Structures are given as structure tokens and as C-alpha cells.
């Protein structure tokens, strides 16, 4: 039968919100008879789920479209049918119809809040194609609530870990960032809707959930009785009333790290000891210019408070180097902060001027060779910290959720509580089947820059 099914190829750029969105596109298109294919070569529908956060990410889409055009020409040359091409996500939201002006082969353009309408768009584009034309569909509506209702109904799952989007968008308007424009304003899903999705994940065997939001700790969903739910209350409820063994959440803003949420890290065992808490810079002057609504000392105080209730918490962060006006001294303060916090891992980027954001127009831009040198220095320090964090795991016993096949037969890969990838040889493929999806005790034998290796401890 599978020969009758149409093929869908999705390429995902950007953050976990996009990963979640791509999974949901697979769900909705499964109802239309599409199955996922690993290459664009034989796809009937190609979706590029794009990211607008930095110039490099946005430009990558156009080079990928160029490659797809060559592929299509080759296919048509051999008598094949061209695939439908859709550009979704944050570049689509930001550029809209401009995408089709620059790349006329694109049939559909849709933003992060419109992709639940992908089935209708695809049917329409297909019909126009059959009549010999080319669709020019653009859907960049930013209202969120209808989307989740459609997606929730069409969910299909088989994994042990899952993302669950509970909050979307952002009202914080950091002066460098496109997200408030590409994802729209802050929106928290109602409590009951979140619980419906949580129950479905449990029923499908999911053991670990990651609650997602662009500013997930600003979550303030309402329940039918009119009460408001903070993220802290939601996590407590999920830990008490569902089958999730592990709960994570990302991404958090330092300003919304309330004492109520910090307390959860101290007394909810299912809440994993890992927190992604971006600070962007170690200089008060720069975080102010970024409009970040926090100071370096308030950030450090938050971290101290979390470490008081959960001493082993692993911290992660995001950094931007070369923000307009960043001096050598400002940058040194970032380096000092990094050394002080000791991140388990972190992401760092050169500042990228994004159209439509306030900082893009400023005159005090930092030269690119300076940005590159600062990035290299920062990344070396972050790598050193990550390496030290991984090395410290050797000899310890950790609980690992074995969630995917390793490269070799009989090997499974999972995550430690601290988000480290752990490779475990369980023996043979039969044992691999037996242990897949289990939470097991693993003794860590060795550490690499990005992952650990360990052996099962059999009870
Ligand atoms: N909502 C999240 C992050 C969203 S974007 C938060 O506030 O933490 C992910 C990361 O991309 C940001 O934390 C920032 O470090 C980086 N980023 C965003 N805009 C950028 C830009 N214009 N140039 C370089 N890095 C950027
Ligand atoms: Fe962007 Fe700032 Fe909002 Fe994060 S908090 S999404 S960096 S505007
Ligand atoms: Fe990129 Fe959009 Fe996420 S711009 S980082 S995909 S919210």
C-alpha cells in the first residue's frame, strides 16, 4: 500500500519550536496520505521550515531553494513530476510574498501560526499545478489559538521523549531580535488544552516531556474555572497527575525565573536538573542596550538561588558577541561571567543585524573581524567548561532514558539528567529492543567533548 502514499520531505532550521512545528506538519500531512522521506529527490511535497534569527540562517534558505531548483530541473528532464515547494516558518513570516518574487518556484509561503492549514494549501497548489499553473499562496496570519486545536486533534506519535508547546511568541522586544515579529505576541495555551496533549503523550508511551515556549517561564495559561496557571504550578501538576518521569522546559528568560519556579527545582523530582537561561552578555551596559530587563547581578542572584535548592543543576546559556557598542571591556565582563557561572554547555553567536529590529540601525556596529575574534575566544572558554563538566561525570552512576538507536548494533543512546548524550552498549539487537525506552542506571566510563559513554548497571 505504501506505494500509493505521497512523499513529504521537511527540512528544519532554527530552534526547538521549529522542530516541534515540523513534527506537527508531519502529523497533519499523514492525514492527507503523506509519509516522510529522507531526501528531497523523490518528494511530492518539499517543506523548508525556516529560521530568521541570524542572517546566515535566513540566507541558507535561498541557497537551498537554488539546489532544489536544479534537482527539479533534472527530474523534469527525466520525465518526472516537479515537487510542490513550501517555505514555512520565520523567514516566511518575515518576508511573505517577497520570497516568491526572489524564488518564483515557491508554491506556498506560510508562517509559524498558519501551518495547520498546510493540507488545504497543498490541495489547492496541487490542483493549480494539474491545470498547468503555479500557485502563489501566502498565509502569514499571526493568530495562534485555532492552530493548536487542529494540531492536537491530529497528533500521531511513537517516541519516548516529546516536545509540548505551551507558550508561543514574545513581547520582550530585545533590540536585536526578530522573534516578536516572526512569532507574534506572547500567547499561553489554556491549561486544559495542555493537559489533553499531555494525556495523549502519556497514552502513546512518552516518558519525558519538554515544555516549549519562546519564553516558556512566562507561561500564564488559564483553566476553565478562570484560574491562572504559572509554569511552576503546571510542572507540579504534571509531576503529580501524569506518567511523565522527566519534565524539562525551555527557553527561559531570567526576568521570569520566579521564586515559585526556583522552588520547583528543589522539590519536584521529575523536574530535571538542567536549565537553559540565556544572559547574552556579561556587561550591564550591553544587556541594557539589548533591552533585556535584567542586570548581571540579578542574573547571578537567580543562579545562586537555584543552586541553593538544587546544587547539581546544569546551566546552559546563549551569548551574543559584538552587539553594537560592545567594547573590549564589555566583552571581558562576558568572559568573567562565563568563568564564574561554569556552564555545562552554551550557544554563542556573532551579532547579526536583522532587518526591522532597533539595533540594526545603530551606528556603533562592531567590525566583523573583532566579532570573529571574540566569538573564538568565548567558544574556547565554553568548550573548556563543557569538557570539564563532562569529565566530572566519569565514574558516576546516572539515570539515563534510552531513547534512540546508536550507530552500532546493540548500542542505545539516551540523555543524562543533565542533558548529556550517553552512549550505552547493551549487547545485542535483542537487548537493544528490550531496553529501548527504559530509564536505566548507567555507570559513566568515559567522556568526550559532546557526549559520554557508559555501561548498564544491572540490578
Ligand atoms: N527566547 C529566547 C531565545 C530566542 S533566539 C531567549 O530570549 O532566550 C535564540 C538565541 O539566538 C538568542 O538567545 C540569542 O543569543 C541569539 N540571537 C537572537 N537574535 C540574534 C541576532 N540578531 N544576532 C545574533 N544572535 C541572535
Ligand atoms: Fe528574542 Fe528577547 Fe524575546 Fe528572546 S526574549 S525571543 S531574545 S525578543
Ligand atoms: Fe528561528 Fe523562528 Fe526559532 S527565527 S530561532 S525558528 S522562533
Amino acid at each position: 500500500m505504501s506505494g500509493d502514499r505521497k512523499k513529504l520531505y521537511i527540512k528544519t532550521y532554527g530552534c526547538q519550536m521549529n522542530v516541534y512545528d515540523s513534527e506537527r506538519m508531519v502529523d497533519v500531512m499523514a492525514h492527507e496520505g503523506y509519509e516522510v522521506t529522507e531526501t528531497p529527490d523523490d518528494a511530492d511535497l518539499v517543506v523548508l521550515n525556516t529560521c530568521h534569527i541570524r542572517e546566515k540562517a535566513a540566507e541558507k534558505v535561498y541557497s537551498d531553494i537554488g539546489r532544489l531548483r536544479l534537482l527539479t530541473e533534472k527530474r523534469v528532464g527525466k520525465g518526472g513530476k516537479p515537487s510542490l515547494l513550501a517555505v514555512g516558518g520565520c523567514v516566511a513570516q518575515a518576508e511573505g510574498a517577497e520570497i516568491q518574487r526572489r524564488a518564483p518556484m515557491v508554491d506556498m509561503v506560510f508562517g509559524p501560526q498558519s501551518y495547520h492549514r498546510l493540507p488545504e494549501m497543498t490541495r489547492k497548489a496541487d490542483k493549480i499545478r494539474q491545470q498547468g499553473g503555479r500557485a502563489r499562496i501566502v498565509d502569514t496570519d499571526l493568530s495562534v489559538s485555532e492552530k493548536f486545536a487542529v494540531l492536537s486533534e491530529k497528533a500521531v506519535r511513537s517516541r519516548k521523549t516529546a516536545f509540548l508547546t505551551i507558550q508561543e511568541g514574545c513581547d520582550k522586544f530585545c533590540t536585536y531580535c526578530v522573534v516578536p515579529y516572526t512569532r507574534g505576541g506572547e500567547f499561553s495555551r489554556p491549561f486544559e488544552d495542555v493537559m489533553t496533549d499531555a494525556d495523549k503523550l502519556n497514552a502513546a508511551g512518552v516518558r519525558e516531556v519538554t515544555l516549549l515556549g519562546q519564553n516558556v517561564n512566562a507561561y500564564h495559561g488559564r483553566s476553565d474555572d478562570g484560574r491562572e496557571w504559572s509554569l511552576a504550578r503546571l510542572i507540579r501538576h504534571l509531576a503529580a497527575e501524569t506518567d511523565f518521569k522527566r519534565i524539562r522546559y525551555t527557553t527561559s528568560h531570567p526576568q521570569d525565573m520566579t521564586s515559585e519556579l526556583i522552588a520547583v527545582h528543589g522539590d519536584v523530582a521529575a523536574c530535571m536538573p538542567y536549565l537553559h537561561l540565556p544572559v547574552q552578555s556579561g556587561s550591564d551596559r550591553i544587556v541594557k542596550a539589548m533591552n533585556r530587563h535584567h542586570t548581571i547581578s540579578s542574573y547571578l542572584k537567580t543562579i545562586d538561588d537555584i543552586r541553593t535548592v538544587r546544587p547539581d543543576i546544569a546551566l546552559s546559556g546563549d551569548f551574543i558577541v559584538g552587539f553594537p557598542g560592545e567594547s573590549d571591556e564589555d566583552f571581558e565582563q562576558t568572559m568573567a561571567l562565563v568563568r564564574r557561572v561554569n556552564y555545562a554547555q552554551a550557544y554563542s553567536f556573532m551579532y547579526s543585524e536583522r532587518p526591522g529590529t532597533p539595533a540594526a540601525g545603530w551606528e556603533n556596529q562592531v567590525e566583523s573581524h573583532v566579532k570573529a575574534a571574540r566569538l573564538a575566544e568565548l567558544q574556547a572558554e565554553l568548550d573548556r567548561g563543557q569538557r570539564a563538566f563532562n569529565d566530572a561525570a566519569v565514574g558516576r552512576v546516572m539515570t539515563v532514558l534510552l531513547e534512540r538507536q546508536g550507530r552500532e548494533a546493540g548500542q542505545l543512546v539516551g540523555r543524562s539528567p543533565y542533558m548529556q548524550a550517553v552512549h550505552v552498549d547493551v549487547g545485542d539487537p535483542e537487548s537493544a529492543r528490550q531496553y529501548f525506552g527504559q530509564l536505566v542506571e548507567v555507570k559513566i566510563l568515559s567522556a568526550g567533548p559532546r557526549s559520554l559513554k557508559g555501561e548498564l548497571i544491572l540490578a
Side-chain angles (χ1 to χ4, degrees):
M1 279 304 281
S2 73
D4 300 325
R5 293 178 71 82
K6 291 189 173 177
K7 293 203 165 71
L8 161 67
Y9 172 76
I10 300 196
K11 178 164 177 182
T12 308
Y13 314 65
C15 65
Q16 281 139 328
M17 310 283 299
N18 263 12
V19 174
Y20 174 91
D21 291 348
S22 289
E23 288 172 3
R24 299 294 77 73
M25 285 184 223
V26 170
D27 289 352
V28 292
M29 294 312 284
H31 291 261
E32 300 287 304
Y34 280 82
E35 69 184 7
V36 171
T37 170
E38 299 302 318
T39 80
D41 302 12
D42 58 346
D44 299 286
L45 169 64
V46 173
V47 176
L48 304 178
N49 193 14
T50 63
C51 173
H52 198 58
I53 202 85
R54 286 169 290 274
E55 191 180 351
K56 243 195 211 156
E59 281 306 310
K60 180 113 196 3
V61 175
Y62 287 102
S63 57
D64 284 351
I65 293 175
R67 254 196 301 278
L68 286 168
R69 200 188 53 206
L70 297 179
L71 197 76
T72 301
E73 281 165 10
K74 224 162 91 188
R75 202 155 114 179
V76 172
K78 287 187 191 154
K81 226 177 71 175
S83 50
L84 289 171
L85 177 57
V87 177
C90 293
V91 175
Q93 188 66 39
E95 298 186 3
E98 178 60 28
I99 294 182
Q100 286 156 330
R101 270 193 287 279
R102 227 178 123 176
M105 69 176 291
V106 175
D107 302 272
M108 298 166 257
V109 171
F110 57 90
Q113 310 309 353
S114 313
Y115 66 82
H116 55 294
R117 288 189 286 269
L118 184 57
E120 290 97 292
M121 287 185 242
T122 305
R123 270 182 251 133
K124 193 165 148 197
D126 218 5
K127 201 158 144 204
I128 296 175
R129 179 67 70 71
Q130 278 164 17
Q131 293 162 351
R134 197 169 254 288
R136 286 274 177 276
I137 298 168
V138 179
D139 186 345
T140 50
D141 184 10
L142 264 182
S143 47
V144 183
S145 46
E146 179 204 344
K147 176 178 87 170
F148 285 110
V150 173
L151 298 179
S152 180
E153 194 185 317
K154 296 193 172 169
V156 184
R157 301 175 206 263
S158 59
R159 299 238 309 274
K160 298 293 166 192
T161 60
F163 291 138
L164 170 49
T165 294
I166 62 168
Q167 184 272 349
E168 275 254 15
C170 181
D171 291 333
K172 295 212 164 43
F173 292 95
C174 300
T175 50
Y176 50 81
C177 184
V178 293
V179 171
Y181 314 98
T182 63
R183 292 256 163 190
E186 213 170 278
F187 169 83
S188 291
R189 296 181 64 197
F191 168 76
E192 280 82 6
D193 292 6
V194 171
M195 288 312 294
T196 302
D197 282 7
D199 291 342
K200 277 189 193 158
L201 293 178
N202 276 162
V206 169
R207 322 284 308 274
E208 174 179 307
V209 70
T210 302
L211 306 174
L212 283 187
Q214 206 48 254
N215 275 289
V216 74
N217 57 344
Y219 178 77
H220 56 275
R222 283 197 184 279
S223 45
D224 289 343
D225 60 10
R227 287 199 302 169
E228 201 171 274
W229 287 73
S230 61
L231 179 64
R233 272 188 69 204
L234 180 66
I235 293 174
R236 282 188 193 280
H237 185 83
L238 288 168
E241 305 295 335
T242 69
D243 297 332
F244 295 124
K245 297 278 179 271
R246 292 176 151 194
I247 302 171
R248 303 180 186 276
Y249 60 94
T250 199
T251 294
S252 298
H253 192 287
Q255 189 202 12
D256 297 314
M257 215 56 224
T258 58
S259 49
E260 188 198 12
L261 182 55
I262 292 172
V264 166
H265 281 278
D267 57 27
V268 177
C271 179
M272 288 292 101
Y274 175 89
L275 179 62
H276 184 64
L277 197 61
V279 65
Q280 315 298 352
S281 163
S283 155
D284 274 324
R285 222 171 57 80
I286 296 298
V287 292
K288 183 145 192 263
M290 288 174 162
N291 192 33
R292 287 285 295 177
H293 306 281
H294 59 73
T295 62
I296 302 309
S297 64
S298 69
Y299 179 78
L300 288 172
K301 162 99 173 52
T302 300
I303 286 179
D304 284 348
D305 290 349
I306 299 167
R307 283 189 165 147
T308 303
V309 297
R310 188 75 214 228
D312 66 334
I313 190 117
L315 290 161
S316 159
D318 290 343
F319 294 90
I320 297 176
V321 298
F323 185 77
E326 185 187 68
S327 65
D328 285 341
E329 199 192 326
D330 293 316
F331 175 66
E332 277 316 313
Q333 290 174 1
T334 299
M335 293 296 290
L337 177 76
V338 166
R339 284 190 287 263
R340 170 150 177 198
V341 172
N342 260 318
Y343 291 93
Q345 67 122 60
Y347 304 93
S348 48
F349 314 99
M350 280 189 262
Y351 169 71
S352 168
E353 277 184 73
R354 306 308 294 127
T357 60
W362 296 353
E363 278 171 7
N364 49 354
Q365 300 292 329
V366 173
E367 282 183 89
S368 48
H369 70 96
V370 176
K371 286 189 212 175
R374 286 179 188 167
L375 185 68
E377 195 181 332
L378 175 60
Q379 285 185 338
E381 183 61 33
L382 291 169
D383 284 348
R384 197 202 50 73
Q386 179 165 8
R387 190 64 214 235
F389 185 78
N390 287 345
D391 286 344
V394 176
R396 288 186 55 187
V397 173
M398 292 182 176
T399 309
V400 175
L401 174 59
L402 297 171
E403 61 189 80
R404 63 185 166 88
Q405 285 292 335
R407 230 171 279 145
E408 292 137 42
Q411 189 185 60
L412 292 172
V413 188
R415 298 252 172 213
S416 77
Y418 313 101
M419 278 299 272
Q420 294 146 299
V422 185
H423 297 253
V424 185
D425 288 316
V426 293
D428 47 73
E430 183 48 45
S431 313
R433 259 191 297 281
Q434 180 195 336
Y435 286 111
F436 179 75
Q438 304 291 318
L439 277 160
V440 294
E441 296 298 299
V442 173
K443 177 156 187 200
I444 305 303
L445 300 175
S446 64
R450 308 262 171 249
S451 66
L452 307 174
K453 271 206 173 102
E455 65 182 3
L456 275 185
I457 296 189
L458 297 172

